[in-house]
Amino acid sequence: MNFPEYHAALKRKEDAEAKYQAKLNQKTNPVNYKQICRIVVPPPGHGALPTNATTIAFDTQQELLWAGNEWGRVTSFCGSELSRYTSVKAHPEGVVRQFLFHDLGVLSVSASSVHLTSRRGLTQWHIISRDMQDLRCMTFLSPARDQILVAGGQPEMFVVDIEKGEIVDTVQTAEFYTLLRFDKYICAATTTGTVNFLDPKTFDVVKTWKAHAAAINDMDARNGYLVTCGYSPRQIGSYMFDPMANVYDVKKLVPLVPIPFPAGAAFVRLHPKMQTTCIVASQGGQLQVVDIMNPNTSNLRQADITTYLLSLELAPSGEALALADGACAIHLWGSPSKIHFAEVRNHIEFAEDILPPELERSMDLWTGDLPLNSIGMPYYSERLLSAWPGNLISEVGNPPPGFDPKFLATLIPGELGLCGPYSRKTPRYQKENTRSPIPHTASLAAPKFLSEKARENGSKPVRRMSDAVETLLIAQLQLNIDGLENNNVPPIYQSVEIKYSKFGVDDFDFAFYNKTSFSGLETHIANSYTNPLLQLLKFTPLFRNLALHHAASTCLQETCLLCEMGFLFDMLEKANGQSCQATNLLKTFSSFQDASQLGLLEENLPSTSISHLIQSVCRFFMQRMKLDYDKNVAQSSQFENTFTIEAMSNHHCTYCRKEQLRADSSMVTDLIYAGLAEANNRRITPSFAQILKSTLQQEIQSRAFCENCKTYRIMTRQRMVQAIPSVLMLNAHVTKPTEKALWARPNWLPQQIGVILTSGQVYVVEGEDIERSFEESIQNMEIYDLVGVVVDVNGGDHQRPHLVSLVDVAIASEDHAASSQFHLFNDFLVRPIPSIKDALDFTPPWKTPCILTYQVRSARHALDHSWKDNLDTTMLYYEWSMNNNAQPCPECRVLNPEVEAPHENFEAAIDTEFVTVERAEIDVRPDGSQEVIRPKRQGLARVSVLRGAKGPETGTPFIDDYIAMHEPIVDYVTEYSGIKPGDLDVHTSSHNLVPLKIAYKKLWLLLNMGCIFIGHGLSSDFRQINIHVPPNQFIDTQRLYHIPAKARKLSLRFCAWSVLREHVQEGGREEGHDSIEDARTALRLWRKFEEVKAKGEGEVEKMLEEVYREGVVLGFKPPPSGVISGRIGIECGNGSRPVTPSRAIPIRSESEGKSVDLLTGSPRQI
């Protein structure tokens, strides 16, 4: 062939190749793509709502498009119509993150597993390992595709053999990888925006390329090119996509000219046929088809999406493009004339028809034996009613009541039907609920009352486990089953209620709900919804120390909230697991007028979110306690150093450039989720540290009045932090679903954070960044530990929302070796949480954080008990009076501090009187039965404390205070209390009146000075006073003169007559009891008990048996005064053996010739 012929042949060949390429480009060029189909990702289950596609990919061998969701389900769609083909739950534990395709099936990866399923949905193998914690990506290791490399946010990478379905090698790495692509090298994107090029055999880093400043969102490698999309940080702490896609030559390992993309490059894919063509997409759906070698020429398209783009994929044939958006939809783009997914297409196997062909052709052959599943579903375009969620469905009307089969069997035929006698099972006019009851989650059954258990134990020789204990065990087992998998509230998180018997709240078994050494708080008090916040503050050592020191100081303010905090914390510590109540503190809180004006009281709960309410209460508590502290301690900055974030705000007018500095300090900080929606659009998850940093050092723009311009302008406010306190009080402030979704991410809330303050700039780090900061020896970094979280538990329409607290009790432990142990404080229900992960997991929809407390690590275990050595006891040594004109008790003499200062084991007799300030709330049911909703509330009216030590002053009172009442008294109970109308009024009382705070603090001082209290029925009195006295610091004569086997407890009046031969409490209905007399009588009863006990073993038991025997005869009531008794119960006057009377015994009275019946008190003839 000569040269001209060769040249002509070469020309013809080039023309043919050009025509073929043009035809190919016309078919595969994305510029010609149009939207072919749009489908919604199927919901994860029946009745659930659709979910977003977390990843999509085209099959390399069949006409299938695969999609994974956040519930671990893998779904495939067939053909250009995207009809559903298969669906399988490949990863029950989490989100599907990536697909790879092999001859054996489809490979998928989640955070903790790798799965291989056939294209027909059959599982081939499933790999789970303890070392798999945060897997994110995978890639083939060679063109042979026999092994894959799996990596993620963890220091281990795994080599998996596809044929064997097992891990054949584990590779340690210093970097965390988010994306993997293979093209000669393994292109691995790190979390810091760097791409490492790894050798596929040794996994050594061959080259490192800093592609983006912050992180890489998407990348693709093909034909020797690598294109990346990422984002960079802004000045205010948020992130934005870079306005360009970076290009790298994998063969030469050098960067190329980037591709400009002003809309922000979020996703990129290289074309499989056109070697230098790629598609770049923005978060808003703008598509750009560009040539890498000539980036200045491009073609723009806009996807028809209403939200934001989540992912982009190109088919291996280059003829189809798939987009997934935030509206749970998948869009298919391609050539309208012809569209294929795979380059070499294999046949797709479909399920065989259930019905034989002859049945399909002839309807006459259908019989009653034909299975219903053989009948196909009709076509429908709207959502079926059966798939609607329950909150959108309401029942209307009431079905007719059914008849008892036994009643129907008795009917006999009549003229107009059947007739027969009908017995009504429900009371008249009471409607019968004929609907099936709404299914509720398992709940904790109320335990049996203490009185019921006592009767059972008395009748049964063998102690058996009660039904309530079994319910608790079942509830504990259901904690992780019902609560986490079915999104139902676990029983221990549900609201607990106190049940009341005829004996009142004292008969309720609180110990059933709490087996720990940490005391819970009761709920029958107004505004007790604040209990979780009080528990959280109590386990914050620095706050606990400050409150106790303040309570021990000279503060005499009547409504000091900080003092009440100290009293409550001391009571909780002394109770050691027994239930307590915050009566006095909540009463003080209710008395604040500004608290009522701000809507913080309990009556505002029906109209206000409880989550919002408790966060407002937290802010109110801190501000009020700061005022209390400043009033008592002048020129002290301890409170500010502990709780206040010192900051200044720079207000800058964008028009006149005028700047103004203003103080912007705060004790409680609301978290601000600024830019969260924009971050979600860019598929960026901000960490807790980033949210906290942007909150502490926020920069916002708003329209405000400019004093220089004298008009409203756009003002920029930038906060500059000057000092970080030792305790960070944070309001979670979760108000939107996107914010709740952020908290629901696994391990999002860190247990430790590091805070660095340098030149007004705040830096917050968490996790591995803390260790990295230590390694780099960064100065001025303080480590904070999470003390606890107040959580809003809202189970839905059929459960009342309430608050609980999750607290790390080890922080407030004196054991320095104690490890973190979170406890659940659900009012009076207290139990340990099995793991930290369970405590800080906010994935369940019913669990929303409200308040968080972080404390500096140096204050861990810093419990200060020195307040006990610095008690201000001066009030014990002088008379305190609100009405100076009143005459104090003539026989009352205050203690002499020189010779009578209280000390450890100082004996003091005590008695108290109460009045009713609020009647019981009773619910009357339709059947006439009653249930106590809230018991009556009593207020301390009088307290008397007497000297108890032997000596000339024994029985002389040194405290006899009447308490001034500021709230209405509904019942003075004069018959028992001796209090009359006007006795507690400052303007009319003739007694010495003191505030409740003063009377309470006197008793609190005596308690902490080691005094021993003697009285009758002290357990009930201390409960009403709202103080807890350890058992070794009080002697209750009601317990001394009680036989445990007998249910009856003796009254003070009967004990005085039976043991001391004295008549007490003879005031009657008009005069009532005298607390000084009662305390003195209890003291003498104790002395008598000690005398009998000293006589020898068995004397006390003998005395008690005789007292009870006499009480049975007399009905446990002393005879009328004036009767001379022969001491039937203990010892006769002549020393003879006592005779137990079996009938009325006449005993001579002081009036000669008359006798009185000992049982009835009526005169009789001798």
Side-chain angles (χ1 to χ4, degrees):
M1 183 182 296
N2 54 21
F3 181 75
E5 293 177 354
Y6 174 76
H7 180 71
L10 184 60
K11 180 65 174 175
R12 288 193 301 270
K13 182 180 179 182
E14 291 177 354
D15 292 341
E17 291 179 353
K19 290 180 181 180
Y20 173 78
Q21 189 65 36
K23 184 178 180 180
L24 179 63
N25 290 346
Q26 184 178 4
K27 184 172 66 171
T28 62
N29 194 341
V31 177
N32 302 321
Y33 287 173
K34 294 182 180 180
Q35 180 166 315
I36 303 298
C37 180
R38 178 186 181 274
I39 63 169
V40 177
V41 180
H46 178 70
L49 297 177
T51 181
N52 288 325
T54 57
T55 182
I56 57 176
F58 286 98
D59 202 313
T60 58
Q61 299 185 14
Q62 293 183 355
E63 295 293 295
L64 297 176
L65 173 65
W66 294 81
N69 64 15
E70 58 188 4
W71 302 95
R73 181 166 291 277
V74 173
T75 307
S76 62
F77 305 92
C78 177
S80 59
E81 296 181 356
L82 296 183
S83 57
R84 293 184 64 178
Y85 180 59
T86 55
S87 180
V88 61
K89 190 70 174 291
H91 303 276
E93 70 281 352
V95 179
V96 181
R97 297 185 171 178
Q98 188 185 346
F99 291 117
L100 287 179
F101 301 98
H102 190 266
D103 294 339
L104 297 179
V106 181
L107 292 157
S108 59
V109 64
S110 68
S112 57
S113 65
V114 183
H115 186 87
L116 175 65
T117 180
S118 68
R119 288 170 173 82
R120 297 194 61 178
L122 300 178
T123 299
Q124 305 300 308
W125 47 256
H126 186 83
I127 300 177
I128 298 178
S129 174
R130 294 182 178 178
D131 296 331
M132 293 181 177
Q133 301 295 330
D134 188 14
L135 302 181
R136 302 184 185 181
C137 51
M138 58 182 174
T139 185
F140 290 109
L141 289 180
S142 65
R145 300 193 171 193
D146 54 350
Q147 291 182 342
I148 60 171
L149 177 68
V150 188
Q154 57 184 47
E156 297 90 5
M157 298 189 301
F158 306 97
V159 178
V160 178
D161 188 291
I162 301 176
E163 295 284 348
K164 299 178 181 178
E166 60 183 23
I167 299 174
V168 296
D169 191 12
T170 301
V171 182
Q172 299 295 325
T173 175
E175 297 285 352
F176 291 169
Y177 296 122
T178 58
L179 296 168
L180 292 178
R181 298 290 185 267
F182 180 80
D183 188 18
K184 185 180 178 180
Y185 299 103
I186 299 175
C187 306
T190 68
T191 56
T192 59
T194 303
V195 177
N196 288 343
F197 296 92
L198 308 179
D199 187 290
K201 296 183 179 180
T202 63
F203 304 107
D204 295 334
V205 178
V206 179
K207 183 75 174 181
T208 299
W209 174 42
K210 184 65 174 178
H212 298 273
I216 297 175
N217 187 66
D218 193 14
M219 71 177 186
D220 195 15
R222 193 187 296 269
N223 302 325
Y225 297 105
L226 174 67
V227 186
T228 64
C229 298
Y231 39 86
S232 301
R234 288 179 177 176
Q235 294 181 354
I236 60 175
S238 60
Y239 298 89
M240 65 177 294
F241 283 108
D242 290 333
M244 60 183 65
N246 293 330
V247 185
Y248 197 82
D249 191 328
V250 180
K251 297 178 181 179
K252 299 180 180 180
L253 295 179
V254 293
L256 302 179
V257 178
I259 303 172
F261 194 67
F267 306 98
V268 63
R269 283 296 177 268
L270 287 165
H271 200 282
K273 299 298 184 183
M274 307 168 69
Q275 296 186 358
T276 60
T277 301
C278 69
I279 300 179
V280 184
S282 69
Q283 194 81 44
Q286 181 177 337
L287 304 175
Q288 176 176 327
V289 183
V290 62
D291 193 334
I292 295 176
M293 297 293 100
N294 189 11
N296 294 326
T297 60
S298 60
N299 295 280
L300 294 178
R301 300 292 301 276
Q302 177 64 42
D304 184 15
I305 61 175
T306 59
T307 55
Y308 51 88
L309 207 59
L310 291 177
S311 58
L312 175 148
E313 279 296 333
L314 260 175
S317 64
E319 300 177 10
L321 174 70
L323 307 173
D325 63 12
C328 307
I330 297 178
H331 305 256
L332 180 63
W333 284 42
S335 175
S337 60
K338 190 176 183 181
I339 181 172
H340 293 287
F341 298 164
E343 184 176 6
V344 179
R345 297 179 295 276
N346 296 330
H347 175 67
I348 299 179
E349 298 182 25
F350 292 95
E352 297 179 354
D353 295 331
I354 298 178
L355 288 179
E358 58 272 12
L359 288 183
E360 294 183 355
R361 291 189 298 266
S362 177
M363 298 292 295
D364 297 335
L365 297 179
W366 287 21
T367 63
D369 298 333
L370 189 70
L372 292 178
N373 60 1
S374 63
I375 304 175
M377 288 290 293
Y379 174 79
Y380 59 91
S381 58
E382 297 181 355
R383 191 172 187 182
L384 296 179
L385 291 177
S386 60
W388 281 23
N391 60 342
L392 297 180
I393 300 175
S394 60
E395 296 178 344
V396 179
N398 201 29
F403 291 99
D404 190 356
K406 296 181 180 179
F407 164 71
L408 296 177
T410 61
L411 298 180
I412 57 178
E415 295 182 359
L416 299 177
L418 301 175
C419 60
Y422 178 65
S423 59
R424 181 184 296 272
K425 294 185 177 181
T426 57
R428 180 178 295 181
Y429 306 125
Q430 179 177 343
K431 294 182 178 180
E432 180 180 355
N433 182 16
T434 58
R435 290 197 178 277
S436 59
I438 299 175
H440 293 279
T441 57
S443 59
L444 283 177
K448 296 182 179 179
F449 292 110
L450 297 178
S451 56
E452 294 177 348
K453 292 184 177 181
R455 289 194 298 269
E456 289 181 359
N457 293 337
S459 60
K460 299 178 181 179
V462 180
R463 187 174 182 180
R464 300 177 60 185
M465 179 180 294
S466 67
D467 297 336
V469 175
E470 295 177 352
T471 305
L472 179 61
L473 296 178
I474 296 174
Q476 291 174 347
L477 294 177
Q478 291 175 341
L479 170 64
N480 294 326
I481 301 175
D482 294 343
L484 300 182
E485 292 189 1
N486 298 332
N487 291 333
N488 295 329
V489 181
I492 62 169
Y493 281 90
Q494 294 178 13
S495 179
V496 290
E497 296 181 358
I498 301 176
K499 301 297 181 182
Y500 306 97
S501 69
K502 63 181 180 180
F503 300 106
V505 69
D506 294 335
D507 198 25
F508 189 73
D509 186 9
F510 289 102
F512 163 74
Y513 294 91
N514 184 8
K515 307 298 182 182
T516 70
S517 60
F518 307 105
S519 298
L521 292 172
E522 299 173 14
T523 59
H524 64 281
I525 312 161
N527 300 308
S528 59
Y529 75 93
T530 59
N531 286 345
L533 176 59
L534 301 178
Q535 293 281 13
L536 179 61
L537 295 176
K538 186 259 178 185
F539 283 95
T540 306
L542 292 180
F543 185 84
R544 173 255 182 206
N545 296 339
L546 190 144
L548 286 171
H549 276 281
H550 184 82
S553 66
T554 58
C555 178
L556 300 178
Q557 184 182 353
E558 184 176 356
T559 57
C560 178
L561 198 60
L562 191 56
C563 277
E564 297 297 340
M565 286 283 183
F567 297 151
L568 176 64
F569 295 166
D570 182 51
M571 177 171 58
L572 289 171
E573 291 183 0
K574 286 183 170 63
N576 193 29
Q578 298 183 28
S579 179
C580 297
Q581 50 187 340
T583 306
N584 293 346
L585 188 147
L586 297 180
K587 180 180 178 182
T588 303
F589 169 55
S590 304
S591 66
F592 293 125
Q593 186 177 1
D594 48 351
S596 178
Q597 293 173 350
L598 292 172
L600 303 181
L601 302 185
E602 194 175 65
E603 55 263 22
N604 298 292
L605 276 177
S607 59
T608 307
S609 168
I610 193 172
S611 177
H612 173 74
L613 198 61
I614 193 63
Q615 292 176 96
S616 301
V617 168
C618 179
R619 187 178 294 104
F620 177 82
F621 275 5
M622 300 306 296
Q623 293 174 352
R624 191 74 196 185
M625 287 185 290
K626 183 180 183 302
L627 295 177
D628 296 338
Y629 184 84
D630 293 340
K631 289 180 182 178
N632 188 60
V633 182
Q635 298 179 352
S636 175
S637 59
Q638 181 181 0
F639 200 97
E640 286 81 357
N641 296 339
T642 306
F643 300 103
T644 304
I645 299 176
E646 300 289 345
M648 299 292 292
S649 289
N650 182 14
H651 295 257
H652 172 75
C653 177
T654 58
Y655 184 81
C656 66
R657 308 297 180 183
K658 179 71 174 180
E659 294 185 358
Q660 184 179 6
L661 289 177
R662 299 177 185 175
D664 192 11
S665 301
S666 62
M667 289 178 288
V668 181
T669 303
D670 292 345
L671 292 181
I672 300 176
Y673 306 89
L676 179 57
E678 185 178 359
N680 288 336
N681 293 342
R682 297 190 302 269
R683 299 178 66 184
I684 302 173
T685 303
S687 64
F688 177 83
Q690 293 172 340
I691 294 294
L692 181 58
K693 178 183 182 299
S694 61
T695 300
L696 297 177
Q697 193 170 320
Q698 54 184 294
E699 180 179 351
I700 60 175
Q701 284 188 347
S702 61
R703 189 173 178 83
F705 186 81
C706 178
E707 297 180 356
N708 188 42
C709 300
K710 302 301 180 183
T711 186
Y712 283 90
R713 299 291 189 190
I714 300 298
M715 305 287 289
T716 301
R717 182 172 69 91
Q718 185 175 8
R719 195 182 191 206
M720 297 174 291
V721 179
Q722 298 176 334
I724 300 293
S726 301
V727 176
L728 290 176
M729 299 291 296
L730 305 175
N731 283 342
H733 201 248
V734 178
T735 58
K736 300 178 181 178
T738 54
E739 298 167 356
K740 177 61 174 70
L742 189 66
W743 284 87
R745 293 184 175 274
N747 304 322
W748 191 79
L749 178 63
Q751 195 176 0
Q752 293 89 23
I753 59 174
V755 180
I756 305 170
L757 180 61
T758 304
S759 301
Q761 297 291 324
V762 178
Y763 301 94
V764 184
V765 295
E766 62 176 83
E768 297 179 354
D769 293 336
I770 297 178
E771 300 178 0
R772 190 178 297 109
S773 300
F774 279 122
E775 294 175 358
E776 296 176 0
S777 301
I778 296 179
Q779 302 296 327
N780 303 327
M781 185 176 72
E782 286 285 355
I783 304 299
Y784 287 79
D785 292 326
L786 179 64
V787 179
V789 187
V790 176
V791 177
D792 178 11
V793 178
N794 191 346
D797 298 336
H798 307 295
Q799 296 183 15
R800 179 173 59 88
H802 66 288
L803 300 171
V804 301
S805 57
L806 299 163
V807 181
D808 186 359
V809 298
I811 293 180
S813 172
E814 295 184 350
D815 183 9
H816 290 259
S819 57
S820 294
Q821 175 62 65
F822 277 84
H823 277 62
L824 168 68
F825 289 86
N826 185 3
D827 292 325
F828 51 83
L829 186 151
V830 183
R831 65 152 290 177
I833 302 299
S835 66
I836 300 175
K837 181 180 179 182
D838 293 337
L840 305 184
D841 180 21
F842 294 96
T843 303
W846 49 264
K847 189 177 180 183
T848 304
C850 298
I851 303 173
L852 300 88
T853 299
Y854 280 91
Q855 181 183 258
V856 67
R857 177 167 292 181
S858 58
R860 190 181 180 95
H861 313 297
L863 299 184
D864 186 5
H865 300 286
S866 62
W867 59 273
K868 295 182 180 180
D869 302 326
N870 300 316
L871 293 172
D872 179 62
T873 60
T874 55
M875 66 168 54
L876 295 175
Y877 309 120
Y878 68 89
E879 287 286 352
W880 176 279
S881 178
M882 297 177 63
N883 50 343
N884 295 324
N885 297 328
Q887 296 295 329
C889 176
E891 58 177 328
C892 181
R893 293 189 296 275
V894 297
L895 296 174
N896 186 346
E898 297 181 357
V899 296
E900 293 182 302
H903 52 80
E904 190 173 357
N905 297 326
F906 179 87
E907 298 169 354
I910 183 175
D911 191 69
T912 55
E913 306 295 347
F914 302 91
V915 293
T916 303
V917 295
E918 186 176 333
R919 298 190 185 278
E921 296 182 19
I922 300 176
D923 181 26
V924 181
R925 301 189 183 96
D927 59 356
S929 61
Q930 297 181 354
E931 180 183 7
V932 179
I933 304 301
R934 180 171 289 173
K936 66 178 180 180
R937 184 164 61 89
Q938 294 183 311
L940 182 63
R942 183 185 180 186
V943 56
S944 301
V945 185
L946 285 62
R947 296 168 173 85
K950 293 182 179 180
E953 296 290 334
T954 300
T956 303
F958 61 90
I959 295 177
D960 186 33
D961 293 335
Y962 286 74
I963 287 80
M965 286 285 180
H966 301 291
E967 53 186 334
I969 300 175
V970 298
D971 190 357
Y972 284 89
V973 205
T974 305
E975 180 182 358
Y976 301 101
S977 66
I979 306 297
K980 302 177 182 178
D983 286 351
L984 307 180
D985 189 346
V986 180
H987 305 287
T988 61
S989 177
S990 61
H991 304 286
N992 183 43
L993 290 178
V994 300
L996 176 64
K997 161 77 174 292
I998 300 301
Y1000 184 91
K1001 190 168 184 178
K1002 288 181 180 179
L1003 299 180
W1004 186 74
L1005 290 172
L1006 293 174
L1007 170 65
N1008 286 284
M1009 295 172 75
C1011 295
I1012 297 178
F1013 297 97
I1014 301 102
H1016 194 83
L1018 288 184
S1019 298
S1020 177
D1021 288 353
F1022 289 149
R1023 179 181 177 83
Q1024 295 293 339
I1025 297 172
N1026 196 26
I1027 191 172
H1028 183 87
V1029 180
N1032 62 340
Q1033 278 191 255
F1034 75 93
I1035 300 172
D1036 192 347
T1037 54
Q1038 190 177 57
R1039 295 183 179 180
L1040 295 181
Y1041 290 91
H1042 176 248
I1043 298 177
K1046 299 182 181 297
R1048 166 77 68 172
K1049 291 185 179 181
L1050 305 181
S1051 66
L1052 179 66
R1053 185 182 180 193
F1054 180 77
C1055 283
W1057 181 85
S1058 179
V1059 179
L1060 303 177
R1061 288 186 287 181
E1062 292 183 359
H1063 285 277
V1064 297
Q1065 299 177 351
E1066 294 291 318
R1069 290 182 176 272
E1070 289 142 2
E1071 296 298 331
H1073 299 181
D1074 183 4
S1075 58
I1076 294 180
E1077 179 190 34
D1078 291 351
R1080 188 179 290 125
T1081 302
L1083 179 63
R1084 295 186 60 194
L1085 284 172
W1086 175 54
R1087 296 296 183 193
K1088 185 66 177 178
F1089 184 87
E1090 293 295 321
E1091 291 178 8
V1092 175
K1093 184 179 179 180
K1095 291 181 180 181
E1097 185 177 356
E1099 293 296 325
V1100 171
E1101 290 77 7
K1102 185 188 303 181
M1103 176 189 67
L1104 293 180
E1105 289 290 343
E1106 295 298 337
V1107 169
Y1108 268 86
R1109 189 179 306 165
E1110 186 178 29
V1112 172
V1113 175
L1114 300 177
F1116 293 96
K1117 294 181 180 179
S1121 59
V1123 175
I1124 301 177
S1125 171
R1127 295 301 318 290
I1128 295 177
I1130 298 180
E1131 185 179 359
C1132 296
N1134 58 5
S1136 61
R1137 182 71 179 173
V1139 178
T1140 302
S1142 59
R1143 58 181 177 85
I1145 301 177
I1147 297 182
R1148 187 173 299 276
S1149 173
E1150 294 178 357
S1151 300
E1152 186 175 355
K1154 296 181 179 181
S1155 66
V1156 177
D1157 194 315
L1158 185 61
L1159 298 182
T1160 64
S1162 58
R1164 294 183 57 184
Q1165 296 293 332
I1166 300 179

